Amino acid sequence: MIEFNVRSALIATTLMSALLGCASGQSSSTSDSKIPQKFVAVTQIVEHPSLDATRKGIQDELAAAGLKAGETLKWEWESAQGNPSTATQIANKFVGENPDVIVAIATPSAQASVAVARNIPVIFAAVTDPLGAKLVNNLEKPGGLVTGVTDLSPINKQLDLIQEITPTVKRLGVIYNAGEANSVSLVDLLKIEATKRGLTVVEATANRSSDVATSARSLVGKVEAIYIPTDNTIVSALESVIQVGIDNKIPIYAADTDSVKRGAMAGLSFNYYDVGRQTGKVVLQVLKGESPGNIPVKSVEKLQLFINMKSATAMGVKIPESVLRKADQKIE
């Protein structure tokens, strides 16, 4: 009987110690430090190198500030695969999950998010014309719960490049999705600036990636060069445009440097990874309690010049030494 009582006392003491240990966190299998402290939901209209680089830049900026996915940050990302209706579905899903911030990459995803996220901050990235897309009413003082980073292309400097490399170009083709507000704004700006230089812009539209090759072929015989704006539909099917350029000796210029890596002949733009890092800084401001409406819409100022030497040869163009000396990267 004495032996039984001693054994019972030992068992009771052991159980009590275990319970006290768990209560103090010494033996807990789920430490509070592993519970995500912030929730960032990211929606992206389509996957292609520029937008993917933007997303990577955002995630890296947050990680550099101590918000690491799976540790101190709950990070959720979805792509709409180029479908605006899917972008709306993703936006509604995110609103239901109530994240601290919704990050919308590219105009259609930003428009979908802003339309439904009434009480959740929305930070946009890689949006060409935030005013034209009706995301904000003022770039300096956006107001409300929306702000972000614009990727408005430096059209004038890009036209300078086109004329320096191919000075005989008089008719410049442009392929874009007329359903993308940012693309329409860019093409309108392109036509205004091209007219000042005596250039004629010849338009070809494609509403789906599968239409891009046909649109590119429609420009053959009508233009001496083709310009690809930061249009998600066209960039997602860029290789079909490159092939038309090679087959018909038409130089292809891009508004982003990632497209030069994929085969465009030349591009003067900013690095979309930098766009992401800058967007990440805005997200951090909001997560720390600052109102998006008090944060001005940012733009990227640092430009890079990429030249694809192999594509230039294939498209029948000799890049001037004056351009090669300025190139940040020459792709052989």
Side-chain angles (χ1 to χ4, degrees):
M1 188 69 166
I2 293 174
E3 182 181 349
F4 176 79
N5 287 337
V6 170
R7 186 181 298 114
S8 298
L10 287 171
I11 292 172
T13 300
T14 302
L15 287 172
M16 183 60 71
S17 297
L19 289 171
L20 289 172
C22 286
S24 64
Q26 295 174 0
S27 305
S28 175
S29 60
T30 56
S31 169
D32 287 345
S33 64
K34 293 183 180 179
I35 299 175
Q37 300 299 307
K38 296 294 182 181
F39 179 10
V40 173
V42 183
T43 172
Q44 181 174 321
I45 187 59
V46 72
E47 294 173 71
H48 65 62
S50 295
L51 300 188
D52 294 344
T54 300
R55 186 180 76 249
K56 180 68 163 56
I58 295 168
Q59 192 167 27
D60 286 355
E61 186 66 31
L62 297 181
L67 295 178
K68 298 183 179 179
E71 297 179 16
T72 51
L73 174 70
K74 179 179 179 182
W75 170 275
E76 186 172 344
W77 166 73
E78 290 200 28
S79 167
Q81 303 298 324
N83 190 326
S85 296
T86 304
T88 298
Q89 293 171 7
I90 293 171
N92 280 311
K93 173 179 177 289
F94 283 168
V95 168
E97 295 175 351
N98 196 33
D100 293 290
V101 174
I102 294 176
V103 179
I105 302 176
T107 301
S109 289
Q111 290 174 316
S113 298
V114 170
V116 299
R118 303 297 182 188
N119 301 308
I120 301 172
V122 176
I123 309 302
F124 58 78
V127 168
T128 299
D129 185 5
L131 295 174
K134 302 188 186 310
L135 299 177
V136 296
N137 295 320
N138 188 303
L139 297 179
E140 289 300 316
K141 297 179 180 179
L145 292 173
V146 182
T147 190
V149 178
T150 175
D151 65 344
L152 179 62
S153 297
I155 296 291
N156 268 329
K157 292 183 179 180
Q158 291 172 341
L159 287 173
D160 285 343
L161 177 67
I162 291 172
Q163 291 189 303
E164 185 174 0
I165 295 177
T166 48
T168 59
V169 169
K170 296 299 180 185
R171 296 170 299 172
L172 178 65
V174 60
I175 310 172
Y176 68 104
N177 182 348
E180 279 200 29
N182 66 307
S183 299
V184 173
S185 297
L186 269 177
V187 172
D188 286 344
L189 180 59
L190 176 68
K191 288 189 290 187
I192 291 171
E193 297 303 327
T195 299
K196 295 176 183 178
R197 298 163 180 260
L199 299 175
T200 299
V201 173
V202 181
E203 301 173 43
T205 60
N207 295 327
R208 300 172 300 176
S209 298
S210 57
D211 298 331
V212 172
T214 301
S215 296
R217 287 193 292 269
S218 74
L219 293 173
V220 175
K222 300 177 183 177
V223 301
E224 293 86 34
I226 295 175
Y227 171 80
I228 304 300
T230 52
D231 181 298
N232 298 303
T233 302
I234 312 308
V235 173
S236 66
L238 179 70
E239 283 72 17
S240 60
V241 182
I242 303 302
Q243 193 57 55
V244 170
I246 291 172
D247 291 345
N248 297 278
K249 295 295 184 288
I250 301 174
I252 308 296
Y253 291 92
D256 69 282
T257 53
D258 287 307
S259 291
V260 180
K261 297 176 184 177
R262 293 168 61 191
M265 188 186 74
L268 177 68
S269 186
F270 30 73
N271 188 315
Y272 272 82
Y273 178 78
D274 291 339
V275 173
R277 293 299 294 246
Q278 194 161 342
T279 304
K281 293 181 189 298
V282 178
V283 174
L284 287 169
Q285 287 180 265
V286 174
L287 290 177
K288 290 176 181 177
E290 191 164 347
S291 171
N294 294 331
I295 304 173
V297 173
K298 312 291 185 183
S299 59
V300 184
E301 296 178 355
K302 182 182 177 182
L303 298 178
Q304 293 183 319
L305 171 59
F306 280 28
I307 303 292
N308 191 313
M309 303 300 291
K310 182 178 179 181
S311 293
T313 300
M315 295 172 187
V317 176
K318 180 176 175 56
I319 306 295
E321 284 297 324
S322 60
V323 174
L324 293 176
R325 284 194 295 270
K326 295 182 289 188
D328 293 283
Q329 186 170 335
K330 289 178 280 189
I331 301 163
E332 302 294 341

